[in-house]
Amino acid sequence: MNTRQKGLYIYLVVVVALCGCASFIEMAYEPTIPARPFLADRMPKIYLAGAEYKTPGVAGVNIRNPAPEVVLTRALAKEFERLHIPLVTNRRDADAVFQATWNLASVGAKPLTGTVGIALNLKTPDGRFIWSHQVVGKGSTGCDSAQDCMNEALAAAMGRLGPVFEEQAVIAKIFPAAAVLAARATDKPAIGPGVRSDVDELPQRSEWLNEKAYAVVIGIRRYLQPLPEADFADNDAKLVKTYLTRFMGYSDVNVAALINEQATKSGFEKYFESWLPNHVEDGADVFVYFSGHGAPNPKTQDAYLIPYDGDPTYLDKTGYPLKRMYAQLAKLPAGKVTVVLDSCFSGAGGRSVLAKGARPLVMVSAYEGIPDKLTVLSAAAGDQISYTYQDKGHGLFTYFFLKGIKEQSGRPVLEMKAVFDYAAPQVTGVARREYNADQIPQWYPSP
């Protein structure tokens, strides 16, 4: 160990001591996100090899009762069950062997945090390499103890297993000649396990192209922090992009789509504050769509969009203020700017979140001071919840927004006000019928 490494070791030991962390942590895995079963033409049988625990000496974490290898094995078994991927007890009956190594476990202070890193490896039963990856989870949402932080971190890491399998087509790697996951077996956007709706049946493609049209489309279903999922938000955004490019005249190269982990705070800053200003010319059309969580700032009552790496506990540092987005869009030389928000900012649930321990706000200033150039279509009023339409596999507002666009397919000019006028009463009716609640879409500025 060189001098620098010794210094780092001493520093981390002191940090652990100062944060009041116990010498030994007793961990258990409890999922924090809903189960997301896979659908595939052929589901692989997995043999779960014994997990390993290789944590650096500087981590300052000792896990016992049960041993870390047991904790990880149990967590993996539960997560595979939630994904509906079958496990077998005999290696010879398996299509693939899954090995996990817990190679990072650390606790930090000020604020109290925990980090878990797990190396994932997949091989054939005879030992040939198939796939490897590392998932990392962090617990830093105002947890009260090192043990709580570490359990949050483990839950966040396990929550990445399903998305990583989907994003990297792992099941297709196990069966190279077989069909890919059902969600990827078609070029039509997938909206959820076994659910499709009429808006997913795309209208006839339009040959019309508006070369001066630009869009930023954002959809965040899952978050880096252990936040509730914004159901269907990522697939809503994918479908909105398809509508834009298929028959709303937008060129594919002029549409920036930020989906899940692509939609970081730095991604927001890049596309709203650099990409759009560098591309949009005089008189251009600009379209912005956001589907995901919003949050209120309890101190200022300002509304924030939550990026993939956002944390409502540290909203002013990790969130993206709605006013900031409006101000950036107002600077553009565009002739028309349309913003569509399938989110809400009350902190009372649905597509909104709140810092731990804070109370939901009755009203936030989400729609005050919108610049004249902007037209904003919002899924709900400031004190309401933006719901999902489970039967259709979409956000409730997004479903009827797209249906309103589809109703106008074939017309030479798309009238956004007509789309809104179609969608708004439909959303309100379904919300009252399905949720016994008010969700009244808003158009700003008022006509």
Side-chain angles (χ1 to χ4, degrees), residues 84-96:
H84 286 192
I85 298 178
L87 297 177
V88 295
T89 57
N90 192 324
R91 188 186 189 104
R92 292 176 298 180
D93 297 331
D95 297 304

Side-chain angles (χ1 to χ4, degrees), residues 1 62 104 122 144 168 246 274 292 296 303 312 359 419 439 443 446:
M1 181 182 293
N62 293 293
L104 173 64
L122 202 61
D144 298 323
Q168 301 190 19
R246 187 178 179 91
S274 294
R359 294 182 179 181
V419 173
Q439 179 181 338
W443 174 282
S446 299

